Amino acid sequence: MPERTLSLPGSTDQFVLAERPAITLTDRYRPLPGGMTLRHATVVRAHQVRPADVVVAFFTDGPGTRHAEHVLEAFTAHPRPFGPCPAQCEECENVHAHDGTADRYLCLDDADDREDCVIVYRNTPVAIIPATVAASLPPLDSAPLPPDLFTLDDGESGPYEALPVPRAFSPWDAISVTRATAEQIAADLATSHAGRHLTCEWLHDALLISSDPRLRTEPGRPGRLIRPDADGRYRIGGLWPWQHWSPEEDDPTH
């Protein structure tokens, strides 16, 4: 889709809406579902967003030409006045800490198990697909989520693709990976700080991760045997802390 320049009543700014970025290691944008495109989008103020509108982008600061800053995942709006947060999320706490009030801010969507609340200034320009249009298009959850990216605790391995994890994910929780990724993790452990007391062995389709016998808290226990689930994926965790991978970890200047 070529860039579109949109206008907003009462504003002399120009709002430039380009296509959503493709998924790469550095850009983790969930695609829109098939049949839903940015040709369906328009621009409104945040306080004009209505329930069931689909939020696709915000914009750079003005005045003048303002370019789209796409949300990582388009979401269905459930606007409400800014106030007490049912989930006590970090975003709401930060806005409250800076004296946020309902006459300046509003919430476009409440927190869920993956994301904090979406809190914005009431006059913020927002690119939306109106609810009346979205109702005739495929639902947002029909588009696949991009995988999350993880590394071992030394930050020098990976990234390893895993199924998306919830907002409350702990570094010691398990991540779900394919057989190929499990094989790469097992190979990388041998030279990593995280695996310095661990050994890996494949027993047919099961991965056995064993600790140094001298360090076992349960004498005689051979190790952790990880079998594939019904989808052929391996849930690996609890033996070292996972870290979310970011591009800076591959940048020698960081």
Side-chain angles (χ1 to χ4, degrees), residues 90-129:
E90 184 175 348
E91 178 67 10
C92 284
E93 290 181 1
N94 288 339
V95 176
H96 277 296
H98 290 85
D99 299 322
T101 56
D103 62 335
R104 296 180 62 204
Y105 295 91
L106 60 78
C107 177
L108 289 180
D109 194 29
D110 282 328
D112 58 21
D113 65 348
R114 293 178 50 243
E115 302 292 342
D116 285 348
C117 292
V118 181
I119 309 298
V120 297
Y121 287 109
R122 292 177 53 82
N123 284 329
T124 298
V126 185
I128 64 163
I129 297 173

PDB file of all heavy atoms in Angstrom, residues 90-129:
ATOM      1  N   GLU A  90       1.599  -1.455  35.497  1.00  0.00           N
ATOM      2  CA  GLU A  90       2.709  -0.516  35.633  1.00  0.00           C
ATOM      3  C   GLU A  90       2.444   0.784  34.895  1.00  0.00           C
ATOM      4  O   GLU A  90       2.807   1.873  35.364  1.00  0.00           O
ATOM      5  CB  GLU A  90       3.995  -1.166  35.130  1.00  0.00           C
ATOM      6  CG  GLU A  90       5.240  -0.314  35.312  1.00  0.00           C
ATOM      7  CD  GLU A  90       6.508  -1.036  34.905  1.00  0.00           C
ATOM      8  OE1 GLU A  90       6.466  -2.268  34.702  1.00  0.00           O
ATOM      9  OE2 GLU A  90       7.545  -0.365  34.782  1.00  0.00           O
ATOM     10  N   GLU A  91       1.806   0.703  33.734  1.00  0.00           N
ATOM     11  CA  GLU A  91       1.530   1.915  32.962  1.00  0.00           C
ATOM     12  C   GLU A  91       0.630   2.862  33.746  1.00  0.00           C
ATOM     13  O   GLU A  91       0.888   4.077  33.820  1.00  0.00           O
ATOM     14  CB  GLU A  91       0.875   1.540  31.623  1.00  0.00           C
ATOM     15  CG  GLU A  91       0.498   2.727  30.757  1.00  0.00           C
ATOM     16  CD  GLU A  91       1.687   3.502  30.229  1.00  0.00           C
ATOM     17  OE1 GLU A  91       2.835   3.046  30.355  1.00  0.00           O
ATOM     18  OE2 GLU A  91       1.449   4.599  29.670  1.00  0.00           O
ATOM     19  N   CYS A  92      -0.438   2.358  34.340  1.00  0.00           N
ATOM     20  CA  CYS A  92      -1.339   3.209  35.119  1.00  0.00           C
ATOM     21  C   CYS A  92      -0.625   3.786  36.336  1.00  0.00           C
ATOM     22  O   CYS A  92      -0.809   4.966  36.674  1.00  0.00           O
ATOM     23  CB  CYS A  92      -2.568   2.410  35.557  1.00  0.00           C
ATOM     24  SG  CYS A  92      -3.764   2.129  34.223  1.00  0.00           S
ATOM     25  N   GLU A  93       0.202   2.985  36.990  1.00  0.00           N
ATOM     26  CA  GLU A  93       0.941   3.480  38.144  1.00  0.00           C
ATOM     27  C   GLU A  93       1.868   4.631  37.744  1.00  0.00           C
ATOM     28  O   GLU A  93       1.993   5.620  38.472  1.00  0.00           O
ATOM     29  CB  GLU A  93       1.740   2.344  38.784  1.00  0.00           C
ATOM     30  CG  GLU A  93       0.867   1.304  39.481  1.00  0.00           C
ATOM     31  CD  GLU A  93       1.690   0.209  40.130  1.00  0.00           C
ATOM     32  OE1 GLU A  93       2.935   0.271  40.045  1.00  0.00           O
ATOM     33  OE2 GLU A  93       1.099  -0.711  40.716  1.00  0.00           O
ATOM     34  N   ASN A  94       2.511   4.512  36.582  1.00  0.00           N
ATOM     35  CA  ASN A  94       3.412   5.576  36.131  1.00  0.00           C
ATOM     36  C   ASN A  94       2.652   6.869  35.840  1.00  0.00           C
ATOM     37  O   ASN A  94       3.111   7.968  36.192  1.00  0.00           O
ATOM     38  CB  ASN A  94       4.165   5.133  34.866  1.00  0.00           C
ATOM     39  CG  ASN A  94       5.213   4.084  35.155  1.00  0.00           C
ATOM     40  OD1 ASN A  94       5.659   3.939  36.288  1.00  0.00           O
ATOM     41  ND2 ASN A  94       5.604   3.339  34.136  1.00  0.00           N
ATOM     42  N   VAL A  95       1.489   6.757  35.199  1.00  0.00           N
ATOM     43  CA  VAL A  95       0.715   7.960  34.886  1.00  0.00           C
ATOM     44  C   VAL A  95       0.186   8.597  36.166  1.00  0.00           C
ATOM     45  O   VAL A  95       0.228   9.818  36.332  1.00  0.00           O
ATOM     46  CB  VAL A  95      -0.431   7.629  33.914  1.00  0.00           C
ATOM     47  CG1 VAL A  95      -1.295   8.865  33.661  1.00  0.00           C
ATOM     48  CG2 VAL A  95       0.127   7.115  32.585  1.00  0.00           C
ATOM     49  N   HIS A  96      -0.294   7.777  37.101  1.00  0.00           N
ATOM     50  CA  HIS A  96      -0.743   8.310  38.386  1.00  0.00           C
ATOM     51  C   HIS A  96       0.405   9.009  39.114  1.00  0.00           C
ATOM     52  O   HIS A  96       0.211  10.058  39.740  1.00  0.00           O
ATOM     53  CB  HIS A  96      -1.302   7.180  39.263  1.00  0.00           C
ATOM     54  CG  HIS A  96      -2.730   6.836  38.975  1.00  0.00           C
ATOM     55  ND1 HIS A  96      -3.760   7.720  39.171  1.00  0.00           N
ATOM     56  CD2 HIS A  96      -3.282   5.688  38.498  1.00  0.00           C
ATOM     57  CE1 HIS A  96      -4.904   7.138  38.825  1.00  0.00           C
ATOM     58  NE2 HIS A  96      -4.643   5.916  38.415  1.00  0.00           N
ATOM     59  N   ALA A  97       1.602   8.448  39.025  1.00  0.00           N
ATOM     60  CA  ALA A  97       2.763   9.030  39.707  1.00  0.00           C
ATOM     61  C   ALA A  97       3.120  10.408  39.147  1.00  0.00           C
ATOM     62  O   ALA A  97       3.746  11.216  39.836  1.00  0.00           O
ATOM     63  CB  ALA A  97       3.969   8.094  39.598  1.00  0.00           C
ATOM     64  N   HIS A  98       2.725  10.663  37.903  1.00  0.00           N
ATOM     65  CA  HIS A  98       2.981  11.967  37.284  1.00  0.00           C
ATOM     66  C   HIS A  98       1.717  12.826  37.285  1.00  0.00           C
ATOM     67  O   HIS A  98       1.515  13.674  36.408  1.00  0.00           O
ATOM     68  CB  HIS A  98       3.501  11.790  35.856  1.00  0.00           C
ATOM     69  CG  HIS A  98       4.892  11.232  35.794  1.00  0.00           C
ATOM     70  ND1 HIS A  98       5.155   9.877  35.848  1.00  0.00           N
ATOM     71  CD2 HIS A  98       6.102  11.841  35.713  1.00  0.00           C
ATOM     72  CE1 HIS A  98       6.456   9.675  35.792  1.00  0.00           C
ATOM     73  NE2 HIS A  98       7.063  10.851  35.707  1.00  0.00           N
ATOM     74  N   ASP A  99       0.871  12.581  38.291  1.00  0.00           N
ATOM     75  CA  ASP A  99      -0.336  13.394  38.507  1.00  0.00           C
ATOM     76  C   ASP A  99      -1.304  13.320  37.335  1.00  0.00           C
ATOM     77  O   ASP A  99      -1.949  14.326  36.979  1.00  0.00           O
ATOM     78  CB  ASP A  99       0.039  14.856  38.791  1.00  0.00           C
ATOM     79  CG  ASP A  99       0.893  14.993  40.054  1.00  0.00           C
ATOM     80  OD1 ASP A  99       0.620  14.259  41.024  1.00  0.00           O
ATOM     81  OD2 ASP A  99       1.826  15.813  40.046  1.00  0.00           O
ATOM     82  N   GLY A 100      -1.419  12.147  36.741  1.00  0.00           N
ATOM     83  CA  GLY A 100      -2.386  11.974  35.665  1.00  0.00           C
ATOM     84  C   GLY A 100      -3.813  12.089  36.180  1.00  0.00           C
ATOM     85  O   GLY A 100      -4.138  11.566  37.238  1.00  0.00           O
ATOM     86  N   THR A 101      -4.661  12.789  35.417  1.00  0.00           N
ATOM     87  CA  THR A 101      -6.052  12.971  35.808  1.00  0.00           C
ATOM     88  C   THR A 101      -6.962  12.644  34.633  1.00  0.00           C
ATOM     89  O   THR A 101      -6.543  12.652  33.465  1.00  0.00           O
ATOM     90  CB  THR A 101      -6.307  14.421  36.256  1.00  0.00           C
ATOM     91  OG1 THR A 101      -5.915  15.310  35.192  1.00  0.00           O
ATOM     92  CG2 THR A 101      -5.512  14.745  37.513  1.00  0.00           C
ATOM     93  N   ALA A 102      -8.238  12.400  34.931  1.00  0.00           N
ATOM     94  CA  ALA A 102      -9.193  11.989  33.905  1.00  0.00           C
ATOM     95  C   ALA A 102      -9.487  13.101  32.909  1.00  0.00           C
ATOM     96  O   ALA A 102      -9.946  12.826  31.789  1.00  0.00           O
ATOM     97  CB  ALA A 102     -10.482  11.517  34.566  1.00  0.00           C
ATOM     98  N   ASP A 103      -9.241  14.376  33.266  1.00  0.00           N
ATOM     99  CA  ASP A 103      -9.494  15.447  32.309  1.00  0.00           C
ATOM    100  C   ASP A 103      -8.356  15.578  31.287  1.00  0.00           C
ATOM    101  O   ASP A 103      -8.486  16.311  30.300  1.00  0.00           O
ATOM    102  CB  ASP A 103      -9.717  16.778  33.028  1.00  0.00           C
ATOM    103  CG  ASP A 103      -8.505  17.220  33.834  1.00  0.00           C
ATOM    104  OD1 ASP A 103      -7.711  16.344  34.232  1.00  0.00           O
ATOM    105  OD2 ASP A 103      -8.360  18.431  34.074  1.00  0.00           O
ATOM    106  N   ARG A 104      -7.241  14.870  31.520  1.00  0.00           N
ATOM    107  CA  ARG A 104      -6.108  14.915  30.592  1.00  0.00           C
ATOM    108  C   ARG A 104      -5.902  13.579  29.872  1.00  0.00           C
ATOM    109  O   ARG A 104      -5.444  13.547  28.731  1.00  0.00           O
ATOM    110  CB  ARG A 104      -4.825  15.272  31.333  1.00  0.00           C
ATOM    111  CG  ARG A 104      -4.831  16.662  31.963  1.00  0.00           C
ATOM    112  CD  ARG A 104      -3.517  16.922  32.669  1.00  0.00           C
ATOM    113  NE  ARG A 104      -2.388  16.892  31.749  1.00  0.00           N
ATOM    114  CZ  ARG A 104      -1.130  16.639  32.111  1.00  0.00           C
ATOM    115  NH1 ARG A 104      -0.848  16.383  33.378  1.00  0.00           N
ATOM    116  NH2 ARG A 104      -0.166  16.649  31.212  1.00  0.00           N
ATOM    117  N   TYR A 105      -6.196  12.475  30.537  1.00  0.00           N
ATOM    118  CA  TYR A 105      -5.903  11.147  30.011  1.00  0.00           C
ATOM    119  C   TYR A 105      -7.181  10.315  29.903  1.00  0.00           C
ATOM    120  O   TYR A 105      -8.179  10.592  30.571  1.00  0.00           O
ATOM    121  CB  TYR A 105      -4.932  10.398  30.924  1.00  0.00           C
ATOM    122  CG  TYR A 105      -3.555  10.991  31.022  1.00  0.00           C
ATOM    123  CD1 TYR A 105      -3.251  11.937  32.004  1.00  0.00           C
ATOM    124  CD2 TYR A 105      -2.535  10.599  30.151  1.00  0.00           C
ATOM    125  CE1 TYR A 105      -1.978  12.466  32.117  1.00  0.00           C
ATOM    126  CE2 TYR A 105      -1.265  11.127  30.257  1.00  0.00           C
ATOM    127  CZ  TYR A 105      -0.983  12.062  31.239  1.00  0.00           C
ATOM    128  OH  TYR A 105       0.275  12.594  31.344  1.00  0.00           O
ATOM    129  N   LEU A 106      -7.088   9.272  29.087  1.00  0.00           N
ATOM    130  CA  LEU A 106      -8.116   8.235  29.083  1.00  0.00           C
ATOM    131  C   LEU A 106      -7.454   6.907  28.766  1.00  0.00           C
ATOM    132  O   LEU A 106      -6.305   6.855  28.308  1.00  0.00           O
ATOM    133  CB  LEU A 106      -9.246   8.557  28.099  1.00  0.00           C
ATOM    134  CG  LEU A 106      -8.947   8.734  26.610  1.00  0.00           C
ATOM    135  CD1 LEU A 106      -8.754   7.400  25.899  1.00  0.00           C
ATOM    136  CD2 LEU A 106     -10.091   9.489  25.944  1.00  0.00           C
ATOM    137  N   CYS A 107      -8.181   5.846  29.027  1.00  0.00           N
ATOM    138  CA  CYS A 107      -7.694   4.481  28.758  1.00  0.00           C
ATOM    139  C   CYS A 107      -8.409   3.958  27.522  1.00  0.00           C
ATOM    140  O   CYS A 107      -9.646   3.942  27.482  1.00  0.00           O
ATOM    141  CB  CYS A 107      -7.970   3.588  29.967  1.00  0.00           C
ATOM    142  SG  CYS A 107      -7.484   1.860  29.723  1.00  0.00           S
ATOM    143  N   LEU A 108      -7.643   3.547  26.526  1.00  0.00           N
ATOM    144  CA  LEU A 108      -8.238   3.001  25.305  1.00  0.00           C
ATOM    145  C   LEU A 108      -8.493   1.503  25.396  1.00  0.00           C
ATOM    146  O   LEU A 108      -9.314   0.974  24.649  1.00  0.00           O
ATOM    147  CB  LEU A 108      -7.344   3.289  24.095  1.00  0.00           C
ATOM    148  CG  LEU A 108      -7.289   4.738  23.624  1.00  0.00           C
ATOM    149  CD1 LEU A 108      -6.361   4.876  22.433  1.00  0.00           C
ATOM    150  CD2 LEU A 108      -8.686   5.244  23.271  1.00  0.00           C
ATOM    151  N   ASP A 109      -7.785   0.836  26.300  1.00  0.00           N
ATOM    152  CA  ASP A 109      -8.010  -0.602  26.480  1.00  0.00           C
ATOM    153  C   ASP A 109      -7.401  -1.025  27.800  1.00  0.00           C
ATOM    154  O   ASP A 109      -6.314  -0.565  28.171  1.00  0.00           O
ATOM    155  CB  ASP A 109      -7.377  -1.408  25.331  1.00  0.00           C
ATOM    156  CG  ASP A 109      -7.879  -2.852  25.289  1.00  0.00           C
ATOM    157  OD1 ASP A 109      -9.020  -3.087  25.710  1.00  0.00           O
ATOM    158  OD2 ASP A 109      -7.124  -3.718  24.829  1.00  0.00           O
ATOM    159  N   ASP A 110      -8.102  -1.888  28.526  1.00  0.00           N
ATOM    160  CA  ASP A 110      -7.606  -2.354  29.819  1.00  0.00           C
ATOM    161  C   ASP A 110      -6.513  -3.402  29.648  1.00  0.00           C
ATOM    162  O   ASP A 110      -6.409  -4.071  28.611  1.00  0.00           O
ATOM    163  CB  ASP A 110      -8.752  -2.947  30.650  1.00  0.00           C
ATOM    164  CG  ASP A 110      -9.624  -1.872  31.290  1.00  0.00           C
ATOM    165  OD1 ASP A 110      -9.087  -0.807  31.624  1.00  0.00           O
ATOM    166  OD2 ASP A 110     -10.831  -2.113  31.446  1.00  0.00           O
ATOM    167  N   ALA A 111      -5.719  -3.561  30.699  1.00  0.00           N
ATOM    168  CA  ALA A 111      -4.652  -4.561  30.702  1.00  0.00           C
ATOM    169  C   ALA A 111      -5.238  -5.964  30.555  1.00  0.00           C
ATOM    170  O   ALA A 111      -6.371  -6.235  30.979  1.00  0.00           O
ATOM    171  CB  ALA A 111      -3.853  -4.453  31.997  1.00  0.00           C
ATOM    172  N   ASP A 112      -4.458  -6.845  29.945  1.00  0.00           N
ATOM    173  CA  ASP A 112      -4.817  -8.259  29.897  1.00  0.00           C
ATOM    174  C   ASP A 112      -3.612  -9.051  30.374  1.00  0.00           C
ATOM    175  O   ASP A 112      -2.709  -8.501  31.010  1.00  0.00           O
ATOM    176  CB  ASP A 112      -5.261  -8.686  28.490  1.00  0.00           C
ATOM    177  CG  ASP A 112      -4.195  -8.424  27.424  1.00  0.00           C
ATOM    178  OD1 ASP A 112      -2.998  -8.295  27.781  1.00  0.00           O
ATOM    179  OD2 ASP A 112      -4.551  -8.363  26.230  1.00  0.00           O
ATOM    180  N   ASP A 113      -3.581 -10.352  30.101  1.00  0.00           N
ATOM    181  CA  ASP A 113      -2.479 -11.160  30.627  1.00  0.00           C
ATOM    182  C   ASP A 113      -1.181 -10.976  29.850  1.00  0.00           C
ATOM    183  O   ASP A 113      -0.155 -11.557  30.207  1.00  0.00           O
ATOM    184  CB  ASP A 113      -2.855 -12.644  30.667  1.00  0.00           C
ATOM    185  CG  ASP A 113      -3.078 -13.249  29.297  1.00  0.00           C
ATOM    186  OD1 ASP A 113      -3.161 -12.482  28.304  1.00  0.00           O
ATOM    187  OD2 ASP A 113      -3.194 -14.485  29.201  1.00  0.00           O
ATOM    188  N   ARG A 114      -1.197 -10.129  28.796  1.00  0.00           N
ATOM    189  CA  ARG A 114       0.013  -9.904  28.019  1.00  0.00           C
ATOM    190  C   ARG A 114       0.466  -8.449  28.024  1.00  0.00           C
ATOM    191  O   ARG A 114       1.651  -8.175  27.916  1.00  0.00           O
ATOM    192  CB  ARG A 114      -0.196 -10.371  26.568  1.00  0.00           C
ATOM    193  CG  ARG A 114      -0.370 -11.873  26.410  1.00  0.00           C
ATOM    194  CD  ARG A 114      -0.615 -12.290  24.970  1.00  0.00           C
ATOM    195  NE  ARG A 114       0.362 -11.718  24.064  1.00  0.00           N
ATOM    196  CZ  ARG A 114       0.055 -10.861  23.081  1.00  0.00           C
ATOM    197  NH1 ARG A 114      -1.187 -10.490  22.900  1.00  0.00           N
ATOM    198  NH2 ARG A 114       0.996 -10.390  22.301  1.00  0.00           N
ATOM    199  N   GLU A 115      -0.472  -7.501  28.109  1.00  0.00           N
ATOM    200  CA  GLU A 115      -0.135  -6.095  27.946  1.00  0.00           C
ATOM    201  C   GLU A 115      -0.729  -5.244  29.063  1.00  0.00           C
ATOM    202  O   GLU A 115      -1.771  -5.582  29.630  1.00  0.00           O
ATOM    203  CB  GLU A 115      -0.649  -5.568  26.597  1.00  0.00           C
ATOM    204  CG  GLU A 115      -0.105  -6.315  25.372  1.00  0.00           C
ATOM    205  CD  GLU A 115       1.371  -6.091  25.154  1.00  0.00           C
ATOM    206  OE1 GLU A 115       1.917  -5.112  25.705  1.00  0.00           O
ATOM    207  OE2 GLU A 115       1.986  -6.890  24.422  1.00  0.00           O
ATOM    208  N   ASP A 116      -0.065  -4.108  29.353  1.00  0.00           N
ATOM    209  CA  ASP A 116      -0.601  -3.116  30.279  1.00  0.00           C
ATOM    210  C   ASP A 116      -1.751  -2.350  29.624  1.00  0.00           C
ATOM    211  O   ASP A 116      -2.007  -2.475  28.419  1.00  0.00           O
ATOM    212  CB  ASP A 116       0.493  -2.116  30.675  1.00  0.00           C
ATOM    213  CG  ASP A 116       1.498  -2.698  31.654  1.00  0.00           C
ATOM    214  OD1 ASP A 116       1.244  -3.786  32.204  1.00  0.00           O
ATOM    215  OD2 ASP A 116       2.556  -2.070  31.860  1.00  0.00           O
ATOM    216  N   CYS A 117      -2.424  -1.515  30.434  1.00  0.00           N
ATOM    217  CA  CYS A 117      -3.448  -0.628  29.889  1.00  0.00           C
ATOM    218  C   CYS A 117      -2.820   0.318  28.854  1.00  0.00           C
ATOM    219  O   CYS A 117      -1.638   0.633  28.913  1.00  0.00           O
ATOM    220  CB  CYS A 117      -4.079   0.202  31.004  1.00  0.00           C
ATOM    221  SG  CYS A 117      -5.087  -0.741  32.174  1.00  0.00           S
ATOM    222  N   VAL A 118      -3.653   0.767  27.915  1.00  0.00           N
ATOM    223  CA  VAL A 118      -3.212   1.747  26.913  1.00  0.00           C
ATOM    224  C   VAL A 118      -3.733   3.111  27.363  1.00  0.00           C
ATOM    225  O   VAL A 118      -4.925   3.405  27.229  1.00  0.00           O
ATOM    226  CB  VAL A 118      -3.736   1.401  25.509  1.00  0.00           C
ATOM    227  CG1 VAL A 118      -3.239   2.434  24.494  1.00  0.00           C
ATOM    228  CG2 VAL A 118      -3.296  -0.002  25.111  1.00  0.00           C
ATOM    229  N   ILE A 119      -2.853   3.941  27.919  1.00  0.00           N
ATOM    230  CA  ILE A 119      -3.212   5.248  28.459  1.00  0.00           C
ATOM    231  C   ILE A 119      -2.649   6.326  27.538  1.00  0.00           C
ATOM    232  O   ILE A 119      -1.458   6.320  27.211  1.00  0.00           O
ATOM    233  CB  ILE A 119      -2.664   5.436  29.887  1.00  0.00           C
ATOM    234  CG1 ILE A 119      -3.048   4.250  30.775  1.00  0.00           C
ATOM    235  CG2 ILE A 119      -3.154   6.752  30.475  1.00  0.00           C
ATOM    236  CD1 ILE A 119      -4.532   4.074  30.962  1.00  0.00           C
ATOM    237  N   VAL A 120      -3.500   7.264  27.111  1.00  0.00           N
ATOM    238  CA  VAL A 120      -3.071   8.320  26.193  1.00  0.00           C
ATOM    239  C   VAL A 120      -3.703   9.645  26.610  1.00  0.00           C
ATOM    240  O   VAL A 120      -4.694   9.680  27.348  1.00  0.00           O
ATOM    241  CB  VAL A 120      -3.463   8.008  24.728  1.00  0.00           C
ATOM    242  CG1 VAL A 120      -2.766   6.755  24.233  1.00  0.00           C
ATOM    243  CG2 VAL A 120      -4.979   7.874  24.592  1.00  0.00           C
ATOM    244  N   TYR A 121      -3.130  10.765  26.113  1.00  0.00           N
ATOM    245  CA  TYR A 121      -3.787  12.060  26.256  1.00  0.00           C
ATOM    246  C   TYR A 121      -5.097  12.044  25.479  1.00  0.00           C
ATOM    247  O   TYR A 121      -5.201  11.428  24.409  1.00  0.00           O
ATOM    248  CB  TYR A 121      -2.893  13.171  25.719  1.00  0.00           C
ATOM    249  CG  TYR A 121      -1.711  13.512  26.581  1.00  0.00           C
ATOM    250  CD1 TYR A 121      -0.425  13.184  26.176  1.00  0.00           C
ATOM    251  CD2 TYR A 121      -1.892  14.165  27.803  1.00  0.00           C
ATOM    252  CE1 TYR A 121       0.678  13.502  26.973  1.00  0.00           C
ATOM    253  CE2 TYR A 121      -0.800  14.490  28.602  1.00  0.00           C
ATOM    254  CZ  TYR A 121       0.468  14.150  28.188  1.00  0.00           C
ATOM    255  OH  TYR A 121       1.535  14.463  28.977  1.00  0.00           O
ATOM    256  N   ARG A 122      -6.075  12.744  25.990  1.00  0.00           N
ATOM    257  CA  ARG A 122      -7.403  12.733  25.383  1.00  0.00           C
ATOM    258  C   ARG A 122      -7.397  13.253  23.943  1.00  0.00           C
ATOM    259  O   ARG A 122      -8.198  12.809  23.121  1.00  0.00           O
ATOM    260  CB  ARG A 122      -8.376  13.558  26.225  1.00  0.00           C
ATOM    261  CG  ARG A 122      -8.707  12.965  27.582  1.00  0.00           C
ATOM    262  CD  ARG A 122      -9.620  13.875  28.387  1.00  0.00           C
ATOM    263  NE  ARG A 122     -10.812  14.250  27.628  1.00  0.00           N
ATOM    264  CZ  ARG A 122     -11.894  13.496  27.504  1.00  0.00           C
ATOM    265  NH1 ARG A 122     -11.933  12.300  28.092  1.00  0.00           N
ATOM    266  NH2 ARG A 122     -12.929  13.919  26.805  1.00  0.00           N
ATOM    267  N   ASN A 123      -6.502  14.179  23.626  1.00  0.00           N
ATOM    268  CA  ASN A 123      -6.483  14.761  22.286  1.00  0.00           C
ATOM    269  C   ASN A 123      -5.499  14.084  21.339  1.00  0.00           C
ATOM    270  O   ASN A 123      -5.272  14.571  20.221  1.00  0.00           O
ATOM    271  CB  ASN A 123      -6.172  16.257  22.357  1.00  0.00           C
ATOM    272  CG  ASN A 123      -7.369  17.061  22.830  1.00  0.00           C
ATOM    273  OD1 ASN A 123      -8.509  16.683  22.583  1.00  0.00           O
ATOM    274  ND2 ASN A 123      -7.113  18.164  23.525  1.00  0.00           N
ATOM    275  N   THR A 124      -4.897  12.999  21.757  1.00  0.00           N
ATOM    276  CA  THR A 124      -3.938  12.292  20.919  1.00  0.00           C
ATOM    277  C   THR A 124      -4.586  11.828  19.607  1.00  0.00           C
ATOM    278  O   THR A 124      -5.631  11.164  19.638  1.00  0.00           O
ATOM    279  CB  THR A 124      -3.393  11.056  21.664  1.00  0.00           C
ATOM    280  OG1 THR A 124      -2.710  11.482  22.836  1.00  0.00           O
ATOM    281  CG2 THR A 124      -2.442  10.254  20.777  1.00  0.00           C
ATOM    282  N   PRO A 125      -3.986  12.140  18.443  1.00  0.00           N
ATOM    283  CA  PRO A 125      -4.510  11.590  17.187  1.00  0.00           C
ATOM    284  C   PRO A 125      -4.258  10.078  17.110  1.00  0.00           C
ATOM    285  O   PRO A 125      -3.166   9.604  17.422  1.00  0.00           O
ATOM    286  CB  PRO A 125      -3.713  12.334  16.112  1.00  0.00           C
ATOM    287  CG  PRO A 125      -3.189  13.554  16.800  1.00  0.00           C
ATOM    288  CD  PRO A 125      -2.925  13.142  18.206  1.00  0.00           C
ATOM    289  N   VAL A 126      -5.284   9.367  16.709  1.00  0.00           N
ATOM    290  CA  VAL A 126      -5.232   7.908  16.664  1.00  0.00           C
ATOM    291  C   VAL A 126      -5.754   7.427  15.315  1.00  0.00           C
ATOM    292  O   VAL A 126      -6.804   7.885  14.855  1.00  0.00           O
ATOM    293  CB  VAL A 126      -6.099   7.287  17.784  1.00  0.00           C
ATOM    294  CG1 VAL A 126      -5.944   5.769  17.806  1.00  0.00           C
ATOM    295  CG2 VAL A 126      -5.737   7.873  19.144  1.00  0.00           C
ATOM    296  N   ALA A 127      -5.020   6.514  14.686  1.00  0.00           N
ATOM    297  CA  ALA A 127      -5.502   5.879  13.463  1.00  0.00           C
ATOM    298  C   ALA A 127      -6.339   4.670  13.848  1.00  0.00           C
ATOM    299  O   ALA A 127      -5.870   3.783  14.567  1.00  0.00           O
ATOM    300  CB  ALA A 127      -4.339   5.468  12.575  1.00  0.00           C
ATOM    301  N   ILE A 128      -7.587   4.655  13.394  1.00  0.00           N
ATOM    302  CA  ILE A 128      -8.494   3.566  13.736  1.00  0.00           C
ATOM    303  C   ILE A 128      -9.152   3.008  12.482  1.00  0.00           C
ATOM    304  O   ILE A 128      -9.238   3.688  11.445  1.00  0.00           O
ATOM    305  CB  ILE A 128      -9.594   4.032  14.703  1.00  0.00           C
ATOM    306  CG1 ILE A 128     -10.474   5.094  14.030  1.00  0.00           C
ATOM    307  CG2 ILE A 128      -9.015   4.539  16.016  1.00  0.00           C
ATOM    308  CD1 ILE A 128     -11.813   5.328  14.719  1.00  0.00           C
ATOM    309  N   ILE A 129      -9.608   1.790  12.585  1.00  0.00           N
ATOM    310  CA  ILE A 129     -10.563   1.231  11.641  1.00  0.00           C
ATOM    311  C   ILE A 129     -11.901   1.245  12.372  1.00  0.00           C
ATOM    312  O   ILE A 129     -12.053   0.592  13.404  1.00  0.00           O
ATOM    313  CB  ILE A 129     -10.172  -0.187  11.211  1.00  0.00           C
ATOM    314  CG1 ILE A 129      -8.829  -0.140  10.468  1.00  0.00           C
ATOM    315  CG2 ILE A 129     -11.251  -0.805  10.338  1.00  0.00           C
ATOM    316  CD1 ILE A 129      -8.262  -1.499  10.134  1.00  0.00           C
TER     317      ILE A 129
END
